[in-house]
Amino acid sequence: MASASGSVGCDSDSRIENLICATKSLKFSLEKSKVVGLALEKAGPRLDEIRVRLPWLESAVRPIRAEKDALVAVGGHINRAVGPAAAVLKVFDAVHGLEKSLLSDPRIDLPGYLSVLKRLEEALRFLGDNCGLAIQWLDDIVEYLEDNSVADQVYLKNLKKELESLKESQNGDLDGGLLDAALDKLENEFKLLLTENSVPLPMSSNSLGDQPCIAPSPLPVSVVHKLQAILGRLRANDRLDKCVSIYVEARSSNVRASLQALNLDYLEISVSEFNDVQSIEVYIAQWGKHLEFAVKHLFEAEYKLCNDVFERLGLDVWMGCFSKIAAQAGILAFLQFGKTVTESKKDPIKLLKLLDIFASLNKLRLDFNRLFGGDACVEIQNLTRELIKSVIDGAAEIFWELLVQVELQRQSPPPPDGNVPRLVSFITDYSNKLLGDDYKPILTQVLIIHRSWKRQSFQEKLLVNEILNILKAIELNLDAWIKAYDDPMLSNFFAMNNHWHLFKHLKGTKLGDLLGDSWLKEHEQYKDYYSTIFLRDSWGKLPGHLSREGLILFSGGRATARDLVKKRLKKFNEVFDDMYSKQSGWIMVERDLREKTCQLIVQAVVPVYRSYMQNYGPLVEQEASSNKYAKYTVQKLEEMLLCLYRPKPARHGSLRSPQLSGKYGNGIPDLRRTASAVV
């Protein structure tokens, strides 16, 4: 029993131990299952990641399957491409590093801005030179990989796409438009520097006196240096034309503003806007002064400034710039105004105005040749040459036609008022001007040039002889007109008037000296001769009607004496009234001749009338009808006679010089047209 009990106990202990072991093993297995479960749980995402990376890994591993020689050679290709590509990328980074500085305001630090811009230009040149090389090396790698099946087709396709994109950017803006933006800022700064420092010259039309008006320095030196620096960078980037346009606009506007105070609206006058040269005579005088000021001061200053600003860019650039400024600022308008004058209707006054224009241009000849002599100023040169030719041709034509036109007036009737014809007064004054110091040298030069164009010589005596011939023609005209009057008294009055006019207005003049003292004395004597005849045959006969015959010895009574006095006073009054009425319309312009003539008339008439009225006036003054016979007091009679021959008050605009030909326009009356043409 004991042994059986022991045996049973042993078996029981053994089973318990086995059970404990099994339990432990089960727990261990459970723990291990949990660990495996957790591991499996974590392995799922990793498997998904591996699944995603497998194509890439397969592609990466695939070259291993390529031939050994191809794998060995690909390394060299890659090394050759990486160097240039890395350098290009480094420069690209540097370009982006300049962006902040170049997008700032250049005015803050212009030298620094220009320095940074220059670095950008250098970087872009490097990229332009090397980017293509780097792309070419990369392109070679792709071609090698594709030919030797070293890389996956998808990879090669993507790589080719990137290379094509890089090639396109190489042909476009490598800097993303940064250079253009910087250049735009420089252009704007160039414009601001000009506009802020271009100040019109303060002046007025009264400032053009004898004292020279020197224009101040157009731009400060510091500004000129800045403009030059900006131009250097803009020219390097093909922006010079835009800069020239900006400069021309700014400086031409400044010149125009300086000229505005001179009231140059007259430069726009067209041929159809004025009837004759006299209507714009004052403008022609102003034109010469204004042109001289514009050339010697304004355009001279612009010429020097263009040279200063653009001198580093060459003669063609700055001369072209200056020519545009001159044209836009108004030099063409000045020349066109002169051309308009030459195209206006012809008359003798126009000759003097053409000579004025020639004198102004000749005075500025050296300045014109220096300022506008370059190839860039062809338009100005052509218009100037056309103007000078028109002036010379027009002046010569008018001068040589003067004699013919004076002769044509000989058949015209003389003035009905016995006055000096405007033709005579005009020609005497006109001839003196042509021979004077102001016009003779100019006219001589014009005629020399004009004849040289025709290959003809010219001597000064030709000019003098022509004017002397014109005066001789005037004398012949006067002789014809003196004989043309039906009234002998008016004929004598006219002759006296005109001979005195010639003597008075030519004595002491250049023309008078040429004619000589004997010629002048002859006309003075003719004046005296016709004056004597005029007084004798007109007013000198008037006192004869106040005869005392029969009154001193009369003894027939007071009534008979009164009737005789009445009869003689009545006749005197009738003759006086008729003569006074007729001669009240006659005119004697020369005051000294008029006053002397009137005094002679008074001396011939008034003393006789006074004595007669003192002695016999009381016979008729007591009657009711005395005013019929004692019509004038002595004082009234004297006043009336002293007021004879006075010129009528001229209406505004009616005093014009005589015209020598109908084709010369209406500035001077046509001497062949009307009965009063030579009045």
Side-chain angles (χ1 to χ4, degrees), residues 37 43 96 102 109 122 133 148 174 220 228 286 304 317 339 342 376 388 447 457 471-472 490 501 561 598 635 650:
H96 289 300
L102 292 176
D109 180 14
E122 293 171 350
L133 180 62
N148 293 277
L174 294 174
Q228 289 175 333
Q286 291 178 349
K304 293 178 179 178
V317 174
K339 194 73 164 54
T342 66
I388 294 174
L447 296 178
S457 61
L471 259 293
K472 292 177 182 178
L490 182 56
H501 177 85
C598 289
Q635 182 179 0

Side-chain angles (χ1 to χ4, degrees), residues 23 42 86 98 116 172 199 201 214 257 272 332 421 435 439 571 604 665:
T23 300
K42 293 180 179 181
L98 302 176
V116 173
V199 181
L201 185 64
I214 304 300
S272 61
L332 296 180
L435 290 176
Y439 284 110
K571 183 63 177 178

Side-chain angles (χ1 to χ4, degrees), residues 34 102 117-118 160 177 281 305 385 458 516 582 627 629 660:
K34 289 180 179 180
L102 292 176
L117 178 60
K118 191 172 182 180
K160 286 181 178 180
E281 189 171 357
L305 183 60
R385 279 194 291 267
F458 178 83
K582 180 189 296 184
N627 291 338
Y629 305 102
L660 300 185

